[in-house]
Amino acid sequence: MSEKIKHFPGEQLKNIDVKEGRVPAVRHRPDVKYLWSTGIAMSRFLEGLKKGKIVGSTCKKCDRIMVPPRAFCEQCFKPVDGYVNIKDTGTINTYSASYVAGDASRIKEPILVAIIDLDGASEGMGIFHLLGEIDDWKKIKFGMKVKAVWKPPEERTGAITDIRYFRPLQEG
Amino acid sequence: MATEKIQDVRRMTHWPGHMETDYIYTLGIAGERFFKEIKENGKIPGAKCKRCGQIFVPPRLYCEKCFDKLTDWVNVGTKGKVYTFTIAYIDIKGARLKEPTIYALIKFDGTVGGLVHKLGEVDICDLRVGLPVEAVFKPQPERTANINDIKYFKPVK
Amino acid sequence: MFGKKRVAVIGAGMTLFRRTLKETGKELAWEASKMALDQAGLELKDIDSVVMGTAPDAFDGVHMKGEYLADGSGAYRKPYSRVFVGGGTGVFAVDAGWWHIASGQFDTCLVVGEEKMSSCYPHPAYAFTTIFDPIYARPLGVTLIWIFALEMHRYMHVHGIKKEDIALVSVKNKRNALDHPCAQLGANITVEDVLNSEMLCYPVQRLDISPTSDGAAALVLASEDVAKKVTDNPVWIDGVGWCIDSTFWTNRDLYYPRYVQCAAQMAYKMAGIKNPPKEIDVAEVYDPFDYKELHHMEGLMLARKGQAPRLTAEGVTQRDGDLPINPSGGLLGVGNPIAAAGIMKCCEIFWQLRGEAGKRQVKGDPRTGLAQAWGDLMQYGSVVIMRS
């Protein structure tokens, strides 16, 4: 009945008029803070990062080494069998160069981001992180070997940012 | 071991953060007309459903029961009655207020709904459900088409 | 037949889709709901149940948005629920409406989708950053476009697809939207315009992306008994499907949407569809980004893996092609008020199957249509199949 409907409702405003207060509106900024528990598996992961190790968890039944680690295997739904250290090297699964910040504002120097398939984890077990020590992002290649660049031990806090970024393994 | 008993409290970790978002809410079709009436004329309007006869305060674009568009707006006056009230001694973050604030739901005769607002110029001893109250508006130049264009409701003398 | 009752769509309605609309979310929901009821020839009292679909509360900036939107959705003193699976919500809300009636519990169900993203300031993109894991992802400064850029890039890499192949989708959909009375971004653009548009996150450029929007859309669903009383040309819901993949999005191979395939297989089985490209006459495929239309066509098995760009280049997916995709103009052209956009797609299939799509009407006499949406953290698929 699209063609039978003569009028579609909706009163358009200019977004800029709303933002700049030329349209009656109410502003509010919710002020909410959180303390997220890092839980069982993630606590292990963060403790590992503090020591300069990337921790994964294992499921013997599914023959998987999973990273990020989890407390249970989502495939067979059993508790994981244990936690293991994984190498801090891997290959680039996919990547992007971002000229956009979180609030959609634009940035000049692109942030390089990637999914990195870590060595020693099961196939396709990537983690999300930043890339660095790359002068021109157009030189990044799929399958490129990369290695974690860690903060010095005294600066590590048990956070994903204890790894500053991943850098190309050879030829800088 | 789906759950793990943590023996060493240092392993109980938390990650602090926040959700930082700002909002600008348009007042909508009915809301814009409602607040304009308050701002410009110091009047409180309601919207009447021609089908079921109910008058909604604050006014709405549609009747939630009949689903008809409400085009019939009426002035419900500035006087109402306290339907229920509370006395707040703490603020939104739980801190003690110097002066308690009285909040009430004020209903207007013959209408559905009502306004939640502050009560002022009232002796706590006089507070009761059913107390007749009237709106006290800010001076017209200070009004901004906002619920706070009404400063508070005070007992009708 | 699956379920106790066969389910029909008997009315559809929607508002304009715009970057900013004056109406509140409730008012938008009411406009779309009222139109859908009017078109079905029903009144609110004829509605037994209501399903509301709306995306994260963080857009409208109203927590418990389901409750907030209830009266505008016609839910006053009725059985009501809000469903939410991210971007997949719009089509999933129709799936949910289906089971309300197919279960035998209700004879009618009003399905409503609403989004008012303009409330979120300075840009709704910021609210999206709160959907990520606060510990693994957010400290890295992750933004929404990154994850799509990573997926798009992987898809291009695995199949050797070029940007210009993908840009054709944006060109097609924005042009289709010129004929949609509610469209926000209908335009005649070229592949060069897309390739020259601002680089946001390689390979994602400005014209690869759908806009943020305010808007609402609604459908009236009815059991066979009711449908046959009120209309001579009901559109039947013959298949529904939905599926979620691993929540560890970095553990999936992003080049192929397995979750869409699972959802589609569920729906095809119900509808008795064995050869989707032959049996589907028209499809509204979720296209918040141009590559997603191609990606989802492959997941829906409307194209073989890596072959959707070729079909697009050959004109197969144009309105006058053999398999028209997004004749409405899609999210890229009509706009993307998330849950409302999914329902808009279902509205389009409804109108197409009734032959009422006007200038947007696809050629031939489409009998079977499909709408699909995609959501959560890139791993949710929802599908509905309709027949006239």
Side-chain angles (χ1 to χ4, degrees):
Chain A
M1 308 185 196
S2 159
E3 65 176 348
K4 296 183 184 167
I5 299 166
K6 295 298 164 222
H7 170 72
F8 287 90
E11 200 170 312
Q12 185 173 7
L13 298 173
K14 281 192 179 145
N15 195 247
I16 190 81
D17 288 344
V18 178
K19 280 184 183 172
E20 294 181 358
R22 289 189 289 274
V23 169
V26 172
R27 285 172 184 250
H28 183 64
R29 180 192 181 87
D31 181 15
V32 271
K33 292 188 171 59
Y34 297 89
L35 272 180
W36 291 287
S37 166
T38 56
I40 307 301
M42 207 185 294
S43 294
R44 298 262 191 160
F45 182 71
L46 297 177
E47 282 170 33
L49 291 173
K50 206 168 176 179
K51 294 175 197 150
K53 302 281 183 199
I54 297 174
V55 173
S57 54
T58 58
C59 176
K60 282 183 192 158
K61 191 175 174 210
C62 299
D63 192 23
R64 294 204 303 160
I65 300 175
M66 298 165 279
V67 66
R70 53 217 75 170
F72 56 91
C73 172
E74 75 272 22
Q75 289 183 10
C76 68
F77 227 47
K78 292 202 313 193
V80 295
D81 293 297
Y83 294 88
V84 292
N85 291 335
I86 294 175
K87 288 184 183 161
D88 70 349
T89 55
T91 54
I92 291 178
N93 177 291
T94 181
Y95 64 94
S96 175
S98 175
Y99 293 87
V100 183
D103 61 357
S105 64
R106 307 299 196 254
I107 43 182
K108 263 207 167 134
E109 277 302 308
I111 304 168
L112 307 182
V113 299
I115 295 174
I116 296 144
D117 291 342
L118 292 174
D119 294 334
S122 294
E123 197 187 334
M125 284 284 166
I127 66 161
F128 171 69
H129 219 291
L130 308 173
L131 298 175
E133 296 181 32
I134 292 165
D135 54 357
D136 177 3
W137 65 263
K138 292 186 176 107
K139 290 182 189 164
I140 304 171
K141 296 271 184 286
F142 283 86
M144 197 180 204
K145 295 290 288 180
V146 290
K147 182 175 171 56
V149 174
W150 296 85
K151 284 183 179 170
E154 63 277 12
E155 285 180 29
R156 290 183 210 145
T157 58
I160 190 73
T161 47
D162 287 349
I163 297 173
R164 287 191 205 279
Y165 50 77
F166 283 76
R167 67 165 173 84
L169 194 53
Q170 306 113 348
E171 69 261 349
Chain B
M1 50 139 256
T3 58
E4 184 174 312
K5 191 172 176 185
I6 294 180
Q7 308 282 358
D8 179 353
V9 290
R10 285 169 302 180
R11 284 187 52 200
M12 284 261 294
T13 54
H14 289 82
W15 188 270
H18 59 157
M19 292 204 186
E20 196 183 334
T21 37
D22 273 305
Y23 295 97
I24 303 177
Y25 304 93
T26 59
L27 306 179
I29 305 298
E32 198 165 302
R33 190 168 160 189
F34 172 64
F35 286 112
K36 197 176 166 201
E37 193 66 18
I38 289 178
K39 182 185 167 187
E40 292 177 5
N41 304 318
K43 286 181 178 168
I44 298 173
K48 185 175 179 180
C49 177
K50 284 178 187 157
R51 197 186 316 198
C52 69
Q54 290 189 106
I55 300 170
F56 296 97
V57 177
R60 310 171 187 175
L61 182 62
Y62 53 88
C63 172
E64 65 186 6
K65 201 171 111 193
C66 308
F67 234 42
D68 286 357
K69 187 167 188 170
L70 304 183
T71 51
D72 195 5
W73 282 46
V74 294
N75 182 10
V76 301
T78 59
K79 292 188 176 75
K81 289 197 181 92
V82 171
Y83 175 81
T84 182
F85 65 90
T86 181
I87 307 172
Y89 291 93
I90 54 171
D91 71 10
I92 199 165
K93 288 184 173 164
R96 213 73 200 162
L97 286 167
K98 275 185 196 153
E99 287 291 328
T101 312
I102 307 163
Y103 292 96
L105 171 55
I106 295 136
K107 295 221 176 210
F108 301 86
D109 279 350
T111 71
V112 175
L115 296 179
V116 175
H117 220 296
K118 285 181 272 197
L119 295 186
E121 299 181 40
V122 60
D123 188 332
I124 284 186
C125 302
D126 297 337
L127 258 183
R128 62 183 170 83
V129 169
L131 182 72
V133 291
E134 63 182 311
V136 177
F137 292 87
K138 284 182 181 169
Q140 207 281 331
E142 288 175 29
R143 293 182 213 154
T144 60
N146 181 290
I147 193 68
N148 290 312
D149 287 354
I150 299 171
K151 285 207 292 200
Y152 49 77
F153 282 78
K154 67 171 185 183
V156 178
K157 288 275 156 52
Chain C
M1 189 185 79
F2 285 72
K4 288 187 177 171
K5 290 181 183 174
R6 200 175 183 200
V7 182
V9 184
I10 59 169
M14 66 183 288
T15 67
L16 301 180
F17 285 4
R18 291 291 182 273
R19 175 70 181 88
T20 307
L21 289 171
K22 183 193 274 190
E23 286 84 352
T24 60
K26 282 170 182 274
E27 291 174 344
L28 290 172
W30 172 77
E31 292 281 12
S33 304
K34 177 76 175 160
M35 185 191 288
L37 284 170
D38 288 348
Q39 294 297 318
L42 296 186
E43 297 214 33
L44 187 58
K45 66 176 170 50
D46 303 318
I47 293 296
D48 298 341
S49 61
V50 178
V51 173
M52 150 58 60
T54 190
D57 291 349
F59 292 134
D60 285 39
V62 178
H63 231 96
M64 302 204 306
K65 220 165 117 181
E67 178 276 334
Y68 170 73
L69 295 167
D71 60 335
S73 310
Y76 176 71
R77 292 187 178 163
K78 291 187 194 297
Y80 174 70
S81 55
R82 172 198 183 176
V83 297
F84 173 55
V85 287
T89 299
V91 172
F92 181 67
V94 179
D95 290 344
W98 173 84
W99 79 59
H100 274 63
I101 295 170
S103 65
Q105 189 69 32
F106 303 105
D107 273 313
T108 51
C109 183
L110 180 58
V111 180
V112 190
E114 178 276 353
E115 226 68 63
K116 190 164 162 86
M117 301 171 76
S118 66
S119 305
C120 193
Y121 173 82
H123 194 281
Y126 207 63
F128 269 124
T129 63
T130 63
I131 69 178
F132 292 99
D133 187 289
I135 304 165
Y136 285 125
R138 279 195 232 167
L140 298 170
V142 63
T143 75
L144 190 72
I145 304 180
W146 293 7
I147 63 172
F148 302 131
L150 291 166
E151 184 177 80
M152 179 175 179
H153 205 184
R154 181 77 190 164
Y155 172 61
M156 289 167 68
H157 169 72
V158 169
H159 297 303
I161 297 165
K162 294 194 173 65
K163 272 286 322 239
E164 40 268 50
D165 304 331
I166 292 174
L168 284 169
V169 173
S170 196
V171 172
K172 168 178 71 74
N173 291 2
K174 285 179 193 294
R175 190 170 55 229
N176 283 351
L178 286 170
D179 295 325
H180 199 298
C182 298
Q184 183 177 348
L185 283 183
N188 264 314
I189 59 165
T190 63
V191 167
E192 285 66 39
D193 291 334
V194 180
L195 299 183
N196 293 331
S197 65
E198 184 190 9
M199 180 59 74
L200 299 177
C201 286
Y202 182 83
V204 175
Q205 290 173 269
R206 181 86 218 123
L207 290 176
D208 294 315
I209 307 190
S210 60
T212 58
S213 315
D214 291 354
L219 290 177
V220 180
L221 310 189
S223 65
E224 188 164 10
D225 298 345
V226 171
K228 286 189 169 163
K229 275 182 210 149
V230 300
T231 180
D232 294 331
N233 49 350
V235 168
W236 303 103
I237 296 181
D238 277 357
V240 292
W242 58 95
C243 177
I244 193 165
D245 203 332
S246 172
T247 65
F248 289 86
W249 64 274
T250 59
N251 290 178
R252 290 190 289 112
D253 201 327
L254 299 173
Y255 90 98
Y256 185 71
R258 276 273 295 277
Y259 44 91
V260 169
Q261 185 190 322
C262 293
Q265 280 167 332
M266 175 177 164
Y268 290 147
K269 187 177 171 195
M270 270 179 74
I273 289 174
K274 305 261 176 349
N275 185 346
K278 286 274 176 294
E279 295 178 61
I280 300 290
D281 300 322
V282 54
E284 282 282 329
V285 170
Y286 205 63
D287 61 327
F289 293 75
D290 46 12
Y291 82 96
K292 283 310 292 191
E293 175 172 312
L294 307 169
H295 206 235
H296 288 149
M297 280 171 65
E298 294 171 19
L300 291 164
M301 296 166 282
L302 296 175
R304 271 188 262 159
K305 289 182 183 178
Q307 293 302 306
R310 187 178 56 77
L311 297 182
T312 305
E314 289 170 357
V316 173
T317 61
Q318 298 282 354
R319 261 191 218 140
D320 58 358
D322 287 339
L323 180 51
I325 304 286
N326 291 330
S328 68
L331 279 50
L332 288 162
V334 185
N336 188 10
I338 315 233
I343 293 185
M344 176 276 286
K345 286 186 168 292
C346 299
C347 292
E348 182 69 13
I349 294 301
F350 172 70
W351 288 322
Q352 290 284 351
L353 296 181
R354 300 239 293 200
E356 295 172 355
K359 283 202 253 176
R360 303 189 309 283
Q361 189 64 46
V362 303
K363 70 163 191 178
D365 181 17
R367 290 284 166 197
T368 306
L370 175 151
Q372 173 259 332
W374 161 71
D376 281 338
L377 209 59
M378 304 205 296
Q379 78 286 64
Y380 195 94
S382 43
V383 174
V384 61
I385 293 168
M386 297 186 207
R387 283 202 184 100
S388 58

